[in-house]
Amino acid sequence: MFKLQELIRANTEELARSITMEQGKTLADARGDVFRGLEVVEYACGMAPQLAGEMVENVATGIDCYSIRQPLGVCAGICPFNFPAMVPLWMFPLAVTAGNTFVLKPSEKDPGAAMILADLAMQAGLPKGVLNVVHGSHDVVNNILDHPDIKAISFVGSDKAGRYIYERGSVQGKRVQSNLGAKNHAVVLPDADVDSTVKALTGASFGAAGQRCMAISAAVFVGGMDKWKRPLMDAAKSLKVNAGWEADADVGPMISPEAKARCERLIQSGISEGAQCIVDGRGVSVPGYEQGNWVGPTLLSNVQPHMECYNEEIFGPVLSCLEAGTLDDAISLVNANKHGNGCAIFTRSGAAARKFQHEIDVGMVGINVPIPVPLPFFSFTGWRGSFAGDLHMYGRAGVQFYTQPKTVTSKWIMGEVAASSSQRMPGLDRVGS
Ligand code: NAD
């Protein structure tokens, strides 16, 4: 892993270029994609203490009891298109460091970065057969789900695929962790700093064309939106939509014509249901790239919780703006949403932030931080509709996911035959004697 870390660092530009070419995000975002994955490799370099077991000596005369953590065998990972380097790196470095072999299925939409990473892992000395990459979509996933040798599956992607994979895998006795879709809210209090909050909101909503699982896609303005409207509109309009490799690009294309059409349909459904489109990114044309899947930053105001544009994950550069009378109302609104991945509060009040942190029913919380993706010594802790499984990805929980405890009871007494002739449970010997 130390060598892999070094090689990923040395090849960051190659990885970033591949991501930008295939996925479309800007080069700066693509470097971030690699860097956030690299952090997990660094965690794997130091994860030996997480593999330590426990021991209680002399639970009865000459008897010790101890547990060791062992690998599961063959594990698999099924990845989404939006972080082609980071998500594979959430998975295989921990799995193989724990002693498993791994079958990685990148997204069929952008498998290039996973292939470069696998090549770097081989250069780093990973034995042949330890990391295996398979390509394809539904049929390949079904083979992974049904293969009796595969003991655990890590999935990151949409609700539909993730629920299906969780159910079909679990029914067959596999361990499954499924990171699902999201609707991440920002709650904005009237005392928040305008400039930094608007900057944070636009970066987190429109960056990577909104195709981040932790993108802020709904903003709840406590006390009304009036003072926020103009600065937000100006900031959204100032962003440059362009190909990811162009130096001035802020927002790249969407992944496919289908994703673009779906995003535009959901914007229209919001308008039809009574929202106002105060910045409309539909119909953007980028000179030199006229055939691209472009949707520019879009702001919908007057969004209501019953609207389809609010209830569906748009996964595009669209920020839905809602209003709430009080912080309590805003918290209730966020908690009523089916997803529970990430959220953020913007305020100058420590007491309000503390109340929010305590009462919000969401697994990752930012306080004046728009995209609170945890560093790898914590885990990625989506809640409710954004996660299925018991053990989250990376961090301590990730190591537990890829290992199982074996508990040993051993008896060694000087001068005695090792195997006990007693028919009683070990430990009862002492009670009976
Ligand atoms: P997706 O669910 O369409 O695809 C993910 C993977 O599942 C791909 O490898 C694909 O081949 C496979 N797949 C898709 N449908 C399948 C089916 N019916 N049967 C078997 N396999 C299937 O997701 P996507 O469009 O690539 O990624 C975007 C989604 O991922 C968004 O919903 C986003 O919120 C989510 N996401 C979540 C997280 C998180 O950590 N919670 C992180 C990144 C992305």
Side-chain angles (χ1 to χ4, degrees):
M1 280 302 131
F2 284 98
K3 187 72 186 161
L4 179 60
Q5 187 248 29
E6 192 186 314
L7 287 170
I8 292 174
R9 229 174 243 288
N11 289 277
T12 297
E13 282 308 304
E14 189 196 345
L15 279 157
R17 269 197 306 277
S18 156
I19 293 169
T20 297
M21 286 294 289
E22 280 188 347
Q23 201 270 356
K25 63 177 75 174
T26 64
L27 275 169
D29 267 330
R31 289 184 194 110
D33 190 330
V34 177
F35 185 74
R36 293 310 306 258
L38 182 63
E39 291 172 342
V40 183
V41 179
E42 289 169 354
Y43 179 81
C45 291
M47 74 182 234
Q50 308 294 329
L51 296 169
E54 297 173 330
M55 178 170 188
V56 179
E57 192 186 38
N58 224 35
V59 291
T61 307
I63 296 182
D64 302 324
C65 200
Y66 50 93
S67 70
I68 51 181
R69 293 207 78 86
Q70 292 195 327
L72 305 173
V74 186
C75 302
I78 300 163
C79 303
F81 78 83
N82 66 327
F83 280 99
M86 181 184 78
V87 171
L89 291 172
W90 281 2
M91 300 174 178
F92 81 80
L94 263 62
V96 304
T97 304
N100 301 283
T101 58
F102 203 81
V103 178
L104 179 69
K105 197 207 83 65
S107 170
E108 63 278 21
K109 295 176 182 135
D110 50 15
M115 292 305 289
I116 298 172
L117 289 170
D119 185 44
L120 297 178
M122 296 300 286
Q123 287 179 40
L126 212 60
K128 221 175 161 196
V130 171
L131 175 62
N132 310 276
V133 185
V134 293
H135 296 288
S137 55
H138 299 29
D139 289 349
V140 174
V141 171
N142 286 336
N143 285 337
I144 289 173
L145 293 171
D146 296 342
H147 200 293
D149 287 350
I150 294 179
K151 304 297 179 203
I153 296 169
S154 301
F155 169 84
V156 177
S158 64
D159 289 350
K160 191 172 166 219
R163 293 260 164 230
Y164 164 73
I165 286 166
Y166 180 76
E167 281 160 25
R168 186 156 165 176
S170 308
V171 147
Q172 302 192 62
K174 297 182 199 306
R175 206 176 261 201
V176 186
Q177 52 177 192
S178 233
N179 277 13
L180 308 171
K183 180 68 81 175
N184 306 303
H185 294 72
V187 170
V188 183
L189 296 193
D191 68 352
D193 176 69
V194 174
D195 286 350
S196 61
T197 303
V198 166
K199 200 166 167 222
L201 286 178
T202 45
S205 308
F206 308 131
Q211 299 172 118
R212 294 183 183 128
C213 57
M214 290 287 273
I216 287 179
S217 49
V220 186
F221 296 93
V222 175
M225 196 188 165
D226 289 352
K227 80 168 185 178
W228 299 97
K229 206 177 219 168
R230 180 49 55 193
L232 261 178
M233 289 170 68
D234 290 345
K237 285 180 186 163
S238 74
L239 295 176
K240 179 87 179 161
V241 181
N242 209 343
W245 52 83
E246 299 289 358
D248 63 351
D250 295 308
V251 177
M254 299 201 64
I255 188 70
S256 64
E258 295 76 27
K260 175 186 170 181
R262 183 174 174 281
C263 179
E264 292 185 338
R265 185 186 71 71
L266 284 165
I267 295 170
Q268 186 54 47
S269 89
I271 297 167
S272 306
E273 287 188 282
Q276 285 162 348
C277 192
I278 54 177
V279 177
D280 192 347
R282 293 171 298 172
V284 165
S285 176
V286 177
Y289 304 101
E290 285 79 6
Q291 300 305 312
N293 307 317
W294 308 110
V295 180
T298 299
L299 278 173
L300 289 173
S301 67
N302 197 32
V303 171
Q304 304 297 325
H306 68 268
M307 293 180 180
E308 190 189 7
C309 66
Y310 176 73
N311 286 307
E312 286 292 314
E313 182 185 30
I314 300 180
F315 220 57
V318 182
L319 179 63
S320 296
C321 300
L322 299 93
E323 299 184 19
T326 64
L327 175 57
D328 281 312
D329 294 341
I331 291 173
S332 302
L333 193 152
V334 177
N335 289 352
N337 190 277
K338 70 177 172 185
H339 288 115
N341 211 39
C343 65
I345 185 168
F346 293 91
T347 180
R348 285 190 169 99
S349 161
R354 189 169 182 277
K355 173 184 167 73
F356 181 81
Q357 164 199 304
H358 185 67
E359 294 181 13
I360 206 77
D361 198 7
V362 171
M364 289 172 280
V365 179
I367 297 174
N368 296 319
V369 172
I371 305 187
V373 175
L375 285 161
F377 29 88
F378 295 95
S379 299
F380 191 91
T381 53
W383 280 9
R384 297 192 284 125
S386 295
F387 180 69
D390 300 303
L391 291 165
H392 286 99
M393 271 177 217
Y394 65 77
R396 202 180 285 259
V399 177
Q400 286 174 2
F401 181 80
Y402 292 123
T403 55
Q404 53 193 342
K406 179 181 277 177
T407 311
V408 181
T409 306
S410 96
K411 181 178 178 186
W412 293 104
I413 295 178
M414 285 296 281
E416 213 183 67
V417 180
S420 168
S421 59
S422 167
Q423 299 305 306
R424 287 182 287 177
M425 293 275 285
L428 294 181
D429 285 358
R430 190 175 58 170
V431 178
S433 62

